[in-house]
Amino acid sequence: MMFYDVAIVGAGPAGTMTAKHLALRGLSTVILEEHKAIGFPVQCAGLLGKKALSSCEVSERCVLKKITGANIFGPEGDKLSIGGGNVRAYVVDRRVLDTEMAKNAIEAGSDILLNFHVS
């Protein structure tokens, strides 16, 4: 039987980032993930702001599209444009994002147990 300093439930971005940083600080960590694979099933739309993607500490391999603006249409046909050419957000492939974040947690020293149900 393995004993850990910290057990984290869920291998999503919050769980894997927490595990990574705790492991880097010398704590033994395990992530308990209920699914059989990281990033599947996809349970999020995958739209991240610039700061959110940066805080995930991943490469841009997960980026599907860079968002520089948006047009919002009202019920009467009014249009509001937001943007200006600068990247404001990213559409990401959550499977790629989650997999890379999990890999980073493992490389920092965390363990991940898949198909592990916590009740």
Side-chain angles (χ1 to χ4, degrees):
M1 177 182 267
M2 294 290 299
F3 291 93
Y4 294 91
D5 295 319
V6 180
I8 297 166
V9 178
T16 53
M17 183 60 69
T18 301
K20 173 186 170 181
H21 285 280
L22 291 174
L24 289 172
R25 285 165 178 75
L27 295 169
S28 62
T29 62
V30 63
I31 303 168
L32 309 173
E33 172 57 45
E34 70 176 329
H35 297 107
K36 295 178 184 178
I38 301 294
F40 183 82
V42 175
Q43 297 179 313
C44 175
L47 181 63
L48 298 175
K50 285 177 64 172
K51 189 174 181 180
L53 182 63
S54 174
S55 68
C56 289
E57 300 174 1
V58 296
S59 68
E60 284 198 17
R61 287 183 300 133
C62 64
V63 174
L64 299 173
K65 183 162 180 65
K66 296 178 181 182
I67 305 298
T68 57
N71 294 314
I72 302 168
F73 295 92
E76 302 296 322
D78 298 325
K79 176 181 168 184
L80 172 65
S81 294
I82 302 170
N86 296 325
V87 174
R88 306 212 181 258
Y90 300 90
V91 177
V92 299
D93 182 326
R94 278 297 303 272
R95 289 182 188 170
V96 175
L97 175 79
D98 289 3
T99 300
E100 187 171 342
M101 291 185 76
K103 180 182 173 201
N104 292 343
I106 291 167
E107 288 175 354
S110 296
D111 290 333
I112 297 179
L113 300 177
L114 299 175
N115 203 26
F116 192 100
H117 298 272
V118 177
S119 54

